[in-house]
Amino acid sequence: EHANYLNDPFYLGATCGRVSNRINHASFELDGEQIHVNKNHGEHCLHGGQENFALQYWQVITELTKSSEITLQHSSKDGDAGFPGQVDIMVRYHLSEDNKLSIHYHANTSKPTPINVTNHSYFSLGEDTCLNLGLEIDADAYLDVDDEGIPTGVALPTAASDFSFNKEAVIGQNQQQASHPQLQAPLGYDHCYVLKNKTLTTPSAMLTSQLNNIRMSLYTDHEALQLYTGSFLATPFTPYQGVCLEAQSYIDAVNNK
């Protein structure tokens, strides 16, 4: 229902921004000035703060017949959630006849300001839990984070680690066999992968349901991919009911050179 979208704590299918993911201590330096933004995740800023894009009304500006494409626009005022500059952003969704969904973002700003927009859809491919899905991610490294999801500034190799999806692996098996404390139940994957291929010609990730014989390929020109297995989903949903593959820039890039 309409009200559920306005009060959705899970970012179901949302466009997250201005800055998706976490900003350490909800502050950063920009052009010599210390900027303080909304704290909505403990001491940190998550997905753009309390007035983030996911909780705003967007305006439909173009719409094709047959419902194959739609473009929406939103204006974020200077100072929204503490971020500098007005941002006028558009998102275009296009569904092709061969079952490809393309999401394109375009933004203009009135002054320097960080922007890191992502799509936060959850995928199950018809399974009861994403833990049954096979996953492959084209990444040789992931960002080391502390227990609050804030990067330490170090990228670690995925090879021979609990974070390896270099070859297709079942998400639940990887998670169950993991010894890393951040992956222990009831937690799970909520980590940022450094993508090898940053073009739209080769898939950066592939998700597979063997039960339903379905495969989804994700293409992006972003630098990174946040893998989130939905451990915080709650009523009316259940933990791990869907997995997010959030194509985005690096977490907390404003605080890590």
Side-chain angles (χ1 to χ4, degrees), residues 100 197 199-206 217-222 247:
K100 178 173 69 175
N197 178 65
T199 70
L200 297 175
T201 56
T202 303
S204 293
M206 288 189 292
S217 299
L218 181 141
Y219 298 77
T220 181
D221 56 4
H222 266 308

Side-chain angles (χ1 to χ4, degrees), residues 171-188:
I171 295 173
Q173 290 181 4
N174 263 24
Q175 196 164 297
Q176 189 175 20
Q177 296 167 3
S179 59
H180 197 290
Q182 291 174 355
L183 300 179
Q184 301 298 305
L187 300 175

Side-chain angles (χ1 to χ4, degrees), residues 1-202:
E1 292 182 3
H2 173 250
N4 292 343
Y5 279 102
L6 290 178
N7 300 296
D8 170 28
F10 308 119
Y11 298 93
L12 295 167
T15 294
C16 296
R18 293 179 186 189
V19 177
S20 61
N21 220 310
R22 294 149 178 84
I23 296 178
N24 189 20
H25 287 102
S27 70
F28 56 92
E29 186 177 304
L30 182 63
D31 293 338
E33 180 184 357
Q34 198 68 28
I35 306 294
H36 298 277
V37 295
N38 280 170
K39 295 179 180 180
N40 64 333
H41 187 65
E43 289 298 303
H44 312 298
C45 179
L46 177 68
H47 293 325
Q50 296 165 1
E51 299 145 30
N52 63 74
F53 289 170
L55 302 178
Q56 304 299 318
Y57 284 101
W58 291 59
Q59 304 302 316
V60 175
I61 56 174
T62 62
E63 185 174 8
L64 296 184
T65 56
K66 300 182 181 178
S67 301
S68 61
E69 181 174 305
I70 189 169
T71 302
L72 301 102
Q73 188 267 343
H74 174 61
S75 291
S76 175
K77 296 178 181 179
D78 187 356
D80 271 359
F83 288 96
Q86 177 171 318
V87 171
D88 296 315
I89 183 168
M90 293 188 299
V91 57
R92 184 177 74 244
Y93 300 92
H94 177 259
L95 183 63
S96 68
E97 292 185 1
D98 60 351
N99 208 33
K100 178 173 69 175
L101 177 64
S102 299
I103 306 175
H104 177 80
Y105 303 106
H106 180 83
N108 289 316
T109 73
S110 63
K111 62 175 71 168
T113 192
I115 297 179
N116 179 17
V117 182
T118 194
N119 175 268
H120 205 282
S121 290
Y122 292 77
F123 298 98
S124 67
L125 306 188
E127 301 254 11
D128 292 334
T129 171
C130 74
L131 298 181
N132 293 340
L133 298 175
L135 176 64
E136 182 177 348
I137 301 177
D138 189 23
D140 287 337
Y142 69 99
L143 299 188
D144 182 46
V145 293
D146 65 19
D147 288 343
E148 294 184 295
I150 304 297
T152 63
V154 177
L156 298 175
T158 57
S161 78
D162 293 333
F163 298 89
S164 179
F165 288 96
N166 299 64
K167 295 181 179 178
E168 184 176 295
V170 176
I171 295 173
Q173 290 181 4
N174 263 24
Q175 196 164 297
Q176 189 175 20
Q177 296 167 3
S179 59
H180 197 290
Q182 291 174 355
L183 300 179
Q184 301 298 305
L187 300 175
Y189 290 98
D190 195 2
H191 294 80
C192 184
Y193 285 75
V194 180
L195 296 177
K196 289 168 59 180
N197 178 65
K198 304 173 184 66
T199 70
L200 297 175
T201 56
T202 303

